[in-house]
Amino acid sequence: MAEAVVSFVVERLGDLIIQEAKFLHGVSDQVEAARTELQLVQGFLKDADVRQRDDETVHILVAKIRNAAYDLEDVIEIFVLQVASKREGGIMKVLKRFGCVLKEGVDLHKIGSEIEKITTQVSNFRSSLQTHNIMEIRDPRGATSLYERRQQLRRSYSHIIDRDVVGLEADVRELVMQLVNKEPRHQVVSIWGMGGLGKTTLAKQIYHHDEVRRHFGSFVWVYISQQSQVRDVWEQLLIKLLSATTVQREEIAKMTDDEIAKRIYLLQQESRCLVVIDDIWSIETWESLKAAFPLNQRTESRILLTTRVKEVALHAADRNGVLHQPRPLNEDESWELLEKIAIFGREEITSEVVGKMKEIGKKMLQHCAGLPLAVIVLAGLLATKDTIEEWDTVLNNVYAYIRRGKGHEQECTGTMWVLALSYDNLPYHLKSCFLYLGIFPEDFEIPVKRLTQLWMAEGFISMPLQQGQGLVETMEEIAYNYLNELVDRCVVQIGERGSVRKIKSCRLHDLMRDLCLIKSEEEGFLQNVKSLHRSETMYSPPLTIAKAIPAGKVRRLAICLDENVDKLVPSSYERDDRLRSLLYFGPIDWHPKNKKLLRVLKVEGMTALIDLPNEIGNMVYLRFLSLRNSYIKRLPSSLGNLILLQTLDLRIHNDPDMVPNVFWKMVQLRHLYLPLYKTTRGNRLDLSTLHNLQTLNYVSSRGCELNDLAGLTSLRKLAIELESPLKNLEETLKGISSTLNGIRSLFVHNSLGTDSGKEVTQIVLSCRHVYKLKLHGRTVELLGDLQHFPNLTKLSLCRCDLNHNQMAVLAKLPNLKNLCLMDGTFERSISDTLVFSNEGFRHLECLSLNCMFE
C-alpha cells in the first residue's frame, strides 16, 4: 500500500506539472526532483510492501516512506492553493482573513525548501531499503516472500479431492452437461467468484465426475500462479497430455515455443481433452496462453478455468463459452458443512449436546456469510472443541478465529490470507478505493453516487485531460468504472441496481470488510471507530474511542455513534493537523473546529438546531461537505470561501432563515443539493457560473433565474420547484435548450396552484433525453408524444390530477421499466378502477401503487 500512496502522489505531481506549469516558477525544479525520487522508490516498494511483515526494520522504513509521501501531498495542497490565488486573486484574502495554513510571509521559497527536505528523506529511505536487500522491481510479479508463500499454499492439485462438499450438486450437474455436450466446437467454461467461494472445489468435483471421465480421453490440470511463465505452463500441458516419458520430456525441453503451442493445439483437435486452468488472474495471462488452444475450432475438447476476476472469465469464455458464478451457502448448507467437519463421527458428543452446539454454531455461522472457506476454517477449529463452554468461547471471539484459523501466530491459516491475495493483486489506484470502503459502518448499503463523490474529493480520481475534439470521460464515469473493476475482481458486492441497470448501491462481504479494516490500520490509511453503549451484550464488548485509535497521526477518521454515547472524539485527534477526512455516522451534536487540511467533512443528522458558525468558512480545502438531515437555523455567507468544493449537500430537515447567495463562487461544484424547503426569503441565487455542475437538486423558480441554467452545460440531474409564475417560459426554455438536452434525471414539483399544469408539460417537453422523470403536483395532461422519449425507463407521478385518458399515454412508453403511481395521480372523478391495456407497458418490470385511493 505504501507503493500505492507513492504512486498516487507521483500522479498528482505529474498533473500539477502539466496543468499548472506557468505557475511553478521558483519551485519547478524541486517538484520535478521530488517526482523523480518518488518514481525511483516505487520500484523498491513493490518488494518492500510484500516483505515488511517478515522484517520489522523494513516495515518501519515503509511506514516512513508512506508518511513522507503524505507530507508531500500536504505541501502540494498548500502549493495548489497558492497557484489558485494567482489565478483567482481572492483566495489569499480569504486565507489571511481567517488565519489558515498560508500565513502572510509564506512564499514559494519556503515551500520549495520543504519539498527539498522531504525529497532528501525519501532518498535516504531508499538507500536504507537497498542495504536491507530490497530489490528494485518494475514487474509486480517479481515480489517475493509472504506473497509467494501465500500463492504456494493456495496451489491446487487435481489428485487432492475435497471430502466435505455441500451445496454444489446443482452447479456440478449444470457444468458437466455443458462440458460433455456433442457440440463440435471448442468451448471455455469459466467459473468466477470471490476468494474462498469454492471455485476450485467445484472444478475438482467436475474434473473427477464419472460422466466427465467417460467422455474425455485426456485430462490436464494446471495451476497458474502470478509468477507463472507461459513456457512453463505449456510444457506442463504437453507433458501431461502425452504422459511423456523421460526421453519425450527432453525433446519437449528442446522445442521452440511455437512448436510446443502447435503440438498442444493439434492434440486437442485429435482427441477429446479436458484442460483445467486454475486460478488465472489476468487477461494478459490468458492472451499469452491461448495460442495453444483451438478456440472456436471443430473439436470436442474443452477448457474449464477458475478466476476471481469477472473480466477474465468473460474474456476467456468469449461468445460461445459459459460463465458461471457459484452462490454462497445458505443457512442450512452452512450448518451441514460445519456439522460434517466438526461433529460427525465424534461418538463422545451426545445428541443433547449436539442440539445446543447447533444453536451456538448457527450464531457463529452468521459471521461466515455463506463463504465456504470461512465455514471450513471455523469447523476445523470447532472439531477440537468438545464442550458447550469451549464453543461459547469461540463464539465470543468468532471473527478473530475465522480470520486466524487454528494458529495463533502463524500466517496463512485462516481466511484472511486467501482474501488478501485479491487485495494484493489490485492495481494501486484500486487499492485506495477499496480501503476507503472501510470508512462505512458494518452491514451498510453504500450508495454508489455518494461513494464516487467521496473518492473524487479524496483525490483518488484524476481529472481527465481533453484530447482533441473527442469525448472525454467525466470523473464520475471514471469512478464508476473503478467500482465496476472492484466488483469484477470480486472484492465488492452489488447491492441494488437502478432502472437502467447501473449499480445503485454496493456492500462488502463481512470478511472482506474485516480485511479492509486490517489493511487500513496497517497502512495508516483510515481509522473506523465504533462507539458502543454500555448496555451492549458481551458479544460486542464496550469499546472506548480513545483506546480504539492507535498512537500517531490519523489520516481519515470515521465515527459510528450510538445515540447515547457520552463523548464523540478525543480532542487530541480532533486537533490533528493531518486529518484529511472526518465522517460521522449516527445522530450527533457537533460544533465545527478549524480543521486546516480537511478535504471531506460529513456531519449528517445533527440533532440540535444550530446556527452554522462562520468558522465553517475556514476549511478552505474542503472538496466534500454534507450537512444532510440536520437542523440548521442559519447558513453563513462564509460558505462562499469554500471555493474548492465539489459536492455540497444542504438537504437539512428544517427551513433555514436564509440561504446565502454565495454558490456562484464555488466554480468547482459538481453536485449541489439545496434545502428541500423554500430557498429564498427574499434572496435570489446566482448559479450561472457553475459550469461543472452535474447535479442541481431542488432549486426554486422563485429563488433562481431559469436563464441561469444556460451556463450549466454539464448538468445531468435537475430537481426544480415551480412556486412563482414563469413569464415568457417558452422563450426561456429555448435559451436554455442546450442544457436541458443534457438532462438525464428530472424532478418537477409544481406548487403554482389549480390553474397550472401547462408549465410542467413545457419543461418536460424540453428534456427529451431523460431516463428518470418524477412529477409532483398538477400536470393535467402528459405529452401525447411522450412515447417518443426513447430513454425514459423510470416514471413517478404524484398529485398530478391527470385526465382519465392519460393511462393510454403511459402505456405507450416504449422502454418504461419502472412505474410508480402515488396519491392523486389521477383526478378524483375517475373510478377506483385502473385499466391497463393488454398491448401496453411491454417492458414494465416494476409497478408501485402508493396511497392511490386514500
PDB file of all heavy atoms in Angstrom, residues 664-690:
ATOM      1  N   TRP A 664     -22.153  30.907  -6.430  1.00  0.00           N
ATOM      2  CA  TRP A 664     -21.521  31.282  -7.694  1.00  0.00           C
ATOM      3  C   TRP A 664     -20.001  31.296  -7.593  1.00  0.00           C
ATOM      4  O   TRP A 664     -19.301  31.185  -8.596  1.00  0.00           O
ATOM      5  CB  TRP A 664     -22.028  32.660  -8.138  1.00  0.00           C
ATOM      6  CG  TRP A 664     -21.716  33.767  -7.168  1.00  0.00           C
ATOM      7  CD1 TRP A 664     -22.484  34.194  -6.134  1.00  0.00           C
ATOM      8  CD2 TRP A 664     -20.544  34.590  -7.155  1.00  0.00           C
ATOM      9  NE1 TRP A 664     -21.886  35.225  -5.456  1.00  0.00           N
ATOM     10  CE2 TRP A 664     -20.680  35.494  -6.070  1.00  0.00           C
ATOM     11  CE3 TRP A 664     -19.398  34.667  -7.943  1.00  0.00           C
ATOM     12  CZ2 TRP A 664     -19.715  36.452  -5.757  1.00  0.00           C
ATOM     13  CZ3 TRP A 664     -18.433  35.613  -7.628  1.00  0.00           C
ATOM     14  CH2 TRP A 664     -18.594  36.492  -6.551  1.00  0.00           C
ATOM     15  N   LYS A 665     -19.474  31.417  -6.357  1.00  0.00           N
ATOM     16  CA  LYS A 665     -18.028  31.417  -6.162  1.00  0.00           C
ATOM     17  C   LYS A 665     -17.427  30.018  -6.275  1.00  0.00           C
ATOM     18  O   LYS A 665     -16.231  29.867  -6.520  1.00  0.00           O
ATOM     19  CB  LYS A 665     -17.680  31.980  -4.785  1.00  0.00           C
ATOM     20  CG  LYS A 665     -18.194  33.394  -4.518  1.00  0.00           C
ATOM     21  CD  LYS A 665     -17.849  33.816  -3.092  1.00  0.00           C
ATOM     22  CE  LYS A 665     -18.406  35.185  -2.760  1.00  0.00           C
ATOM     23  NZ  LYS A 665     -18.091  35.592  -1.375  1.00  0.00           N
ATOM     24  N   MET A 666     -18.259  29.009  -6.073  1.00  0.00           N
ATOM     25  CA  MET A 666     -17.772  27.623  -5.991  1.00  0.00           C
ATOM     26  C   MET A 666     -17.733  27.001  -7.380  1.00  0.00           C
ATOM     27  O   MET A 666     -18.474  26.071  -7.696  1.00  0.00           O
ATOM     28  CB  MET A 666     -18.676  26.814  -5.060  1.00  0.00           C
ATOM     29  CG  MET A 666     -18.831  27.409  -3.681  1.00  0.00           C
ATOM     30  SD  MET A 666     -20.032  26.476  -2.695  1.00  0.00           S
ATOM     31  CE  MET A 666     -20.103  27.478  -1.211  1.00  0.00           C
ATOM     32  N   VAL A 667     -16.838  27.471  -8.216  1.00  0.00           N
ATOM     33  CA  VAL A 667     -16.841  27.081  -9.622  1.00  0.00           C
ATOM     34  C   VAL A 667     -16.432  25.627  -9.843  1.00  0.00           C
ATOM     35  O   VAL A 667     -16.600  25.098 -10.946  1.00  0.00           O
ATOM     36  CB  VAL A 667     -15.938  28.022 -10.455  1.00  0.00           C
ATOM     37  CG1 VAL A 667     -16.504  29.432 -10.456  1.00  0.00           C
ATOM     38  CG2 VAL A 667     -14.507  28.005  -9.925  1.00  0.00           C
ATOM     39  N   GLN A 668     -15.900  24.959  -8.795  1.00  0.00           N
ATOM     40  CA  GLN A 668     -15.555  23.543  -8.915  1.00  0.00           C
ATOM     41  C   GLN A 668     -16.730  22.627  -8.577  1.00  0.00           C
ATOM     42  O   GLN A 668     -16.623  21.402  -8.712  1.00  0.00           O
ATOM     43  CB  GLN A 668     -14.383  23.203  -7.982  1.00  0.00           C
ATOM     44  CG  GLN A 668     -13.115  23.992  -8.232  1.00  0.00           C
ATOM     45  CD  GLN A 668     -12.550  23.752  -9.607  1.00  0.00           C
ATOM     46  OE1 GLN A 668     -12.584  22.634 -10.117  1.00  0.00           O
ATOM     47  NE2 GLN A 668     -12.035  24.804 -10.235  1.00  0.00           N
ATOM     48  N   LEU A 669     -17.862  23.208  -8.141  1.00  0.00           N
ATOM     49  CA  LEU A 669     -19.007  22.390  -7.721  1.00  0.00           C
ATOM     50  C   LEU A 669     -19.483  21.485  -8.846  1.00  0.00           C
ATOM     51  O   LEU A 669     -19.680  21.918  -9.971  1.00  0.00           O
ATOM     52  CB  LEU A 669     -20.160  23.279  -7.277  1.00  0.00           C
ATOM     53  CG  LEU A 669     -20.315  23.564  -5.782  1.00  0.00           C
ATOM     54  CD1 LEU A 669     -21.540  24.428  -5.534  1.00  0.00           C
ATOM     55  CD2 LEU A 669     -20.380  22.299  -4.952  1.00  0.00           C
ATOM     56  N   ARG A 670     -19.698  20.216  -8.467  1.00  0.00           N
ATOM     57  CA  ARG A 670     -20.230  19.237  -9.410  1.00  0.00           C
ATOM     58  C   ARG A 670     -21.588  18.718  -8.957  1.00  0.00           C
ATOM     59  O   ARG A 670     -22.385  18.272  -9.785  1.00  0.00           O
ATOM     60  CB  ARG A 670     -19.248  18.068  -9.564  1.00  0.00           C
ATOM     61  CG  ARG A 670     -17.845  18.507  -9.943  1.00  0.00           C
ATOM     62  CD  ARG A 670     -16.865  17.346  -9.996  1.00  0.00           C
ATOM     63  NE  ARG A 670     -17.084  16.501 -11.150  1.00  0.00           N
ATOM     64  CZ  ARG A 670     -16.565  16.735 -12.358  1.00  0.00           C
ATOM     65  NH1 ARG A 670     -15.804  17.801 -12.555  1.00  0.00           N
ATOM     66  NH2 ARG A 670     -16.803  15.911 -13.354  1.00  0.00           N
ATOM     67  N   HIS A 671     -21.852  18.787  -7.650  1.00  0.00           N
ATOM     68  CA  HIS A 671     -23.111  18.278  -7.111  1.00  0.00           C
ATOM     69  C   HIS A 671     -23.575  19.217  -5.996  1.00  0.00           C
ATOM     70  O   HIS A 671     -22.920  19.327  -4.956  1.00  0.00           O
ATOM     71  CB  HIS A 671     -22.932  16.857  -6.576  1.00  0.00           C
ATOM     72  CG  HIS A 671     -22.369  15.914  -7.593  1.00  0.00           C
ATOM     73  ND1 HIS A 671     -23.132  15.352  -8.586  1.00  0.00           N
ATOM     74  CD2 HIS A 671     -21.099  15.474  -7.791  1.00  0.00           C
ATOM     75  CE1 HIS A 671     -22.368  14.592  -9.353  1.00  0.00           C
ATOM     76  NE2 HIS A 671     -21.126  14.653  -8.891  1.00  0.00           N
ATOM     77  N   LEU A 672     -24.693  19.876  -6.205  1.00  0.00           N
ATOM     78  CA  LEU A 672     -25.237  20.843  -5.246  1.00  0.00           C
ATOM     79  C   LEU A 672     -26.642  20.414  -4.860  1.00  0.00           C
ATOM     80  O   LEU A 672     -27.529  20.306  -5.704  1.00  0.00           O
ATOM     81  CB  LEU A 672     -25.261  22.247  -5.861  1.00  0.00           C
ATOM     82  CG  LEU A 672     -25.920  23.347  -5.026  1.00  0.00           C
ATOM     83  CD1 LEU A 672     -25.226  23.504  -3.677  1.00  0.00           C
ATOM     84  CD2 LEU A 672     -25.923  24.672  -5.791  1.00  0.00           C
ATOM     85  N   TYR A 673     -26.818  20.166  -3.555  1.00  0.00           N
ATOM     86  CA  TYR A 673     -28.114  19.768  -3.018  1.00  0.00           C
ATOM     87  C   TYR A 673     -28.577  20.866  -2.075  1.00  0.00           C
ATOM     88  O   TYR A 673     -28.008  21.043  -0.987  1.00  0.00           O
ATOM     89  CB  TYR A 673     -28.013  18.438  -2.266  1.00  0.00           C
ATOM     90  CG  TYR A 673     -27.444  17.310  -3.092  1.00  0.00           C
ATOM     91  CD1 TYR A 673     -26.062  17.074  -3.142  1.00  0.00           C
ATOM     92  CD2 TYR A 673     -28.270  16.460  -3.815  1.00  0.00           C
ATOM     93  CE1 TYR A 673     -25.536  16.042  -3.892  1.00  0.00           C
ATOM     94  CE2 TYR A 673     -27.757  15.415  -4.574  1.00  0.00           C
ATOM     95  CZ  TYR A 673     -26.385  15.208  -4.605  1.00  0.00           C
ATOM     96  OH  TYR A 673     -25.862  14.187  -5.351  1.00  0.00           O
ATOM     97  N   LEU A 674     -29.604  21.619  -2.463  1.00  0.00           N
ATOM     98  CA  LEU A 674     -30.101  22.733  -1.669  1.00  0.00           C
ATOM     99  C   LEU A 674     -31.185  22.263  -0.708  1.00  0.00           C
ATOM    100  O   LEU A 674     -31.765  21.177  -0.892  1.00  0.00           O
ATOM    101  CB  LEU A 674     -30.637  23.826  -2.594  1.00  0.00           C
ATOM    102  CG  LEU A 674     -29.560  24.523  -3.434  1.00  0.00           C
ATOM    103  CD1 LEU A 674     -30.186  25.386  -4.518  1.00  0.00           C
ATOM    104  CD2 LEU A 674     -28.634  25.351  -2.555  1.00  0.00           C
ATOM    105  N   PRO A 675     -31.511  23.069   0.321  1.00  0.00           N
ATOM    106  CA  PRO A 675     -32.561  22.670   1.265  1.00  0.00           C
ATOM    107  C   PRO A 675     -33.872  22.361   0.549  1.00  0.00           C
ATOM    108  O   PRO A 675     -34.223  23.004  -0.449  1.00  0.00           O
ATOM    109  CB  PRO A 675     -32.693  23.894   2.176  1.00  0.00           C
ATOM    110  CG  PRO A 675     -31.370  24.562   2.110  1.00  0.00           C
ATOM    111  CD  PRO A 675     -30.882  24.341   0.706  1.00  0.00           C
ATOM    112  N   LEU A 676     -34.594  21.372   1.080  1.00  0.00           N
ATOM    113  CA  LEU A 676     -35.843  20.958   0.453  1.00  0.00           C
ATOM    114  C   LEU A 676     -36.954  21.970   0.670  1.00  0.00           C
ATOM    115  O   LEU A 676     -38.013  21.885   0.058  1.00  0.00           O
ATOM    116  CB  LEU A 676     -36.273  19.597   1.007  1.00  0.00           C
ATOM    117  CG  LEU A 676     -35.282  18.457   0.791  1.00  0.00           C
ATOM    118  CD1 LEU A 676     -35.827  17.160   1.392  1.00  0.00           C
ATOM    119  CD2 LEU A 676     -35.011  18.252  -0.686  1.00  0.00           C
ATOM    120  N   TYR A 677     -36.715  22.917   1.576  1.00  0.00           N
ATOM    121  CA  TYR A 677     -37.728  23.922   1.864  1.00  0.00           C
ATOM    122  C   TYR A 677     -37.463  25.169   1.021  1.00  0.00           C
ATOM    123  O   TYR A 677     -36.588  25.188   0.162  1.00  0.00           O
ATOM    124  CB  TYR A 677     -37.734  24.239   3.366  1.00  0.00           C
ATOM    125  CG  TYR A 677     -38.106  23.041   4.183  1.00  0.00           C
ATOM    126  CD1 TYR A 677     -37.131  22.132   4.602  1.00  0.00           C
ATOM    127  CD2 TYR A 677     -39.439  22.775   4.510  1.00  0.00           C
ATOM    128  CE1 TYR A 677     -37.471  21.004   5.343  1.00  0.00           C
ATOM    129  CE2 TYR A 677     -39.783  21.650   5.254  1.00  0.00           C
ATOM    130  CZ  TYR A 677     -38.805  20.769   5.667  1.00  0.00           C
ATOM    131  OH  TYR A 677     -39.143  19.660   6.379  1.00  0.00           O
ATOM    132  N   LYS A 678     -38.173  26.237   1.278  1.00  0.00           N
ATOM    133  CA  LYS A 678     -38.025  27.451   0.491  1.00  0.00           C
ATOM    134  C   LYS A 678     -36.587  27.951   0.591  1.00  0.00           C
ATOM    135  O   LYS A 678     -36.025  28.040   1.678  1.00  0.00           O
ATOM    136  CB  LYS A 678     -38.990  28.530   1.005  1.00  0.00           C
ATOM    137  CG  LYS A 678     -40.464  28.086   1.005  1.00  0.00           C
ATOM    138  CD  LYS A 678     -40.949  27.801  -0.404  1.00  0.00           C
ATOM    139  CE  LYS A 678     -42.420  27.462  -0.424  1.00  0.00           C
ATOM    140  NZ  LYS A 678     -42.734  26.126   0.060  1.00  0.00           N
ATOM    141  N   THR A 679     -36.021  28.289  -0.555  1.00  0.00           N
ATOM    142  CA  THR A 679     -34.589  28.596  -0.597  1.00  0.00           C
ATOM    143  C   THR A 679     -34.298  30.077  -0.779  1.00  0.00           C
ATOM    144  O   THR A 679     -33.228  30.445  -1.194  1.00  0.00           O
ATOM    145  CB  THR A 679     -33.933  27.828  -1.755  1.00  0.00           C
ATOM    146  OG1 THR A 679     -34.577  28.212  -2.975  1.00  0.00           O
ATOM    147  CG2 THR A 679     -34.047  26.337  -1.569  1.00  0.00           C
ATOM    148  N   THR A 680     -35.275  30.943  -0.464  1.00  0.00           N
ATOM    149  CA  THR A 680     -35.033  32.343  -0.792  1.00  0.00           C
ATOM    150  C   THR A 680     -35.119  33.275   0.401  1.00  0.00           C
ATOM    151  O   THR A 680     -34.132  33.795   0.862  1.00  0.00           O
ATOM    152  CB  THR A 680     -36.036  32.806  -1.865  1.00  0.00           C
ATOM    153  OG1 THR A 680     -37.360  32.527  -1.419  1.00  0.00           O
ATOM    154  CG2 THR A 680     -35.775  32.077  -3.169  1.00  0.00           C
ATOM    155  N   ARG A 681     -36.309  33.463   0.938  1.00  0.00           N
ATOM    156  CA  ARG A 681     -36.521  34.514   1.939  1.00  0.00           C
ATOM    157  C   ARG A 681     -36.052  35.850   1.381  1.00  0.00           C
ATOM    158  O   ARG A 681     -35.301  36.592   2.027  1.00  0.00           O
ATOM    159  CB  ARG A 681     -35.785  34.184   3.249  1.00  0.00           C
ATOM    160  CG  ARG A 681     -36.253  32.894   3.926  1.00  0.00           C
ATOM    161  CD  ARG A 681     -37.673  33.063   4.499  1.00  0.00           C
ATOM    162  NE  ARG A 681     -38.159  31.837   5.094  1.00  0.00           N
ATOM    163  CZ  ARG A 681     -38.021  31.517   6.378  1.00  0.00           C
ATOM    164  NH1 ARG A 681     -37.387  32.331   7.183  1.00  0.00           N
ATOM    165  NH2 ARG A 681     -38.522  30.401   6.851  1.00  0.00           N
ATOM    166  N   GLY A 682     -36.456  36.147   0.129  1.00  0.00           N
ATOM    167  CA  GLY A 682     -36.102  37.422  -0.480  1.00  0.00           C
ATOM    168  C   GLY A 682     -34.727  37.458  -1.098  1.00  0.00           C
ATOM    169  O   GLY A 682     -34.293  38.497  -1.590  1.00  0.00           O
ATOM    170  N   ASN A 683     -33.996  36.321  -1.092  1.00  0.00           N
ATOM    171  CA  ASN A 683     -32.627  36.290  -1.602  1.00  0.00           C
ATOM    172  C   ASN A 683     -32.563  35.375  -2.818  1.00  0.00           C
ATOM    173  O   ASN A 683     -32.848  34.193  -2.729  1.00  0.00           O
ATOM    174  CB  ASN A 683     -31.683  35.774  -0.507  1.00  0.00           C
ATOM    175  CG  ASN A 683     -30.238  35.985  -0.862  1.00  0.00           C
ATOM    176  OD1 ASN A 683     -29.905  36.955  -1.530  1.00  0.00           O
ATOM    177  ND2 ASN A 683     -29.400  35.093  -0.404  1.00  0.00           N
ATOM    178  N   ARG A 684     -32.201  35.888  -3.981  1.00  0.00           N
ATOM    179  CA  ARG A 684     -32.109  35.081  -5.192  1.00  0.00           C
ATOM    180  C   ARG A 684     -30.687  34.546  -5.339  1.00  0.00           C
ATOM    181  O   ARG A 684     -29.712  35.206  -4.975  1.00  0.00           O
ATOM    182  CB  ARG A 684     -32.505  35.898  -6.420  1.00  0.00           C
ATOM    183  CG  ARG A 684     -33.968  36.331  -6.386  1.00  0.00           C
ATOM    184  CD  ARG A 684     -34.365  37.035  -7.663  1.00  0.00           C
ATOM    185  NE  ARG A 684     -34.510  36.122  -8.780  1.00  0.00           N
ATOM    186  CZ  ARG A 684     -35.618  35.424  -9.027  1.00  0.00           C
ATOM    187  NH1 ARG A 684     -36.659  35.533  -8.239  1.00  0.00           N
ATOM    188  NH2 ARG A 684     -35.689  34.622 -10.084  1.00  0.00           N
ATOM    189  N   LEU A 685     -30.601  33.342  -5.870  1.00  0.00           N
ATOM    190  CA  LEU A 685     -29.311  32.684  -6.005  1.00  0.00           C
ATOM    191  C   LEU A 685     -28.802  32.806  -7.437  1.00  0.00           C
ATOM    192  O   LEU A 685     -29.530  32.539  -8.391  1.00  0.00           O
ATOM    193  CB  LEU A 685     -29.442  31.200  -5.642  1.00  0.00           C
ATOM    194  CG  LEU A 685     -29.972  30.874  -4.239  1.00  0.00           C
ATOM    195  CD1 LEU A 685     -30.043  29.363  -4.059  1.00  0.00           C
ATOM    196  CD2 LEU A 685     -29.111  31.505  -3.158  1.00  0.00           C
ATOM    197  N   ASP A 686     -27.536  33.170  -7.571  1.00  0.00           N
ATOM    198  CA  ASP A 686     -26.880  33.222  -8.872  1.00  0.00           C
ATOM    199  C   ASP A 686     -26.090  31.930  -9.043  1.00  0.00           C
ATOM    200  O   ASP A 686     -25.154  31.658  -8.292  1.00  0.00           O
ATOM    201  CB  ASP A 686     -25.954  34.432  -8.936  1.00  0.00           C
ATOM    202  CG  ASP A 686     -25.180  34.510 -10.257  1.00  0.00           C
ATOM    203  OD1 ASP A 686     -25.488  33.704 -11.158  1.00  0.00           O
ATOM    204  OD2 ASP A 686     -24.277  35.356 -10.359  1.00  0.00           O
ATOM    205  N   LEU A 687     -26.472  31.119 -10.019  1.00  0.00           N
ATOM    206  CA  LEU A 687     -25.810  29.836 -10.259  1.00  0.00           C
ATOM    207  C   LEU A 687     -25.164  29.770 -11.640  1.00  0.00           C
ATOM    208  O   LEU A 687     -24.679  28.727 -12.058  1.00  0.00           O
ATOM    209  CB  LEU A 687     -26.820  28.682 -10.124  1.00  0.00           C
ATOM    210  CG  LEU A 687     -27.594  28.598  -8.805  1.00  0.00           C
ATOM    211  CD1 LEU A 687     -28.639  27.493  -8.881  1.00  0.00           C
ATOM    212  CD2 LEU A 687     -26.660  28.368  -7.630  1.00  0.00           C
ATOM    213  N   SER A 688     -25.146  30.876 -12.324  1.00  0.00           N
ATOM    214  CA  SER A 688     -24.754  30.884 -13.741  1.00  0.00           C
ATOM    215  C   SER A 688     -23.292  30.526 -13.976  1.00  0.00           C
ATOM    216  O   SER A 688     -22.915  30.162 -15.092  1.00  0.00           O
ATOM    217  CB  SER A 688     -25.041  32.259 -14.353  1.00  0.00           C
ATOM    218  OG  SER A 688     -24.304  33.273 -13.675  1.00  0.00           O
ATOM    219  N   THR A 689     -22.445  30.608 -12.951  1.00  0.00           N
ATOM    220  CA  THR A 689     -21.004  30.364 -13.129  1.00  0.00           C
ATOM    221  C   THR A 689     -20.625  28.896 -12.941  1.00  0.00           C
ATOM    222  O   THR A 689     -19.466  28.530 -13.130  1.00  0.00           O
ATOM    223  CB  THR A 689     -20.199  31.190 -12.115  1.00  0.00           C
ATOM    224  OG1 THR A 689     -20.602  30.817 -10.785  1.00  0.00           O
ATOM    225  CG2 THR A 689     -20.439  32.685 -12.308  1.00  0.00           C
ATOM    226  N   LEU A 690     -21.580  28.055 -12.567  1.00  0.00           N
ATOM    227  CA  LEU A 690     -21.260  26.672 -12.168  1.00  0.00           C
ATOM    228  C   LEU A 690     -21.240  25.751 -13.392  1.00  0.00           C
ATOM    229  O   LEU A 690     -22.078  24.858 -13.560  1.00  0.00           O
ATOM    230  CB  LEU A 690     -22.270  26.184 -11.127  1.00  0.00           C
ATOM    231  CG  LEU A 690     -22.410  27.078  -9.889  1.00  0.00           C
ATOM    232  CD1 LEU A 690     -23.395  26.472  -8.897  1.00  0.00           C
ATOM    233  CD2 LEU A 690     -21.055  27.312  -9.229  1.00  0.00           C
TER     234      LEU A 690
END
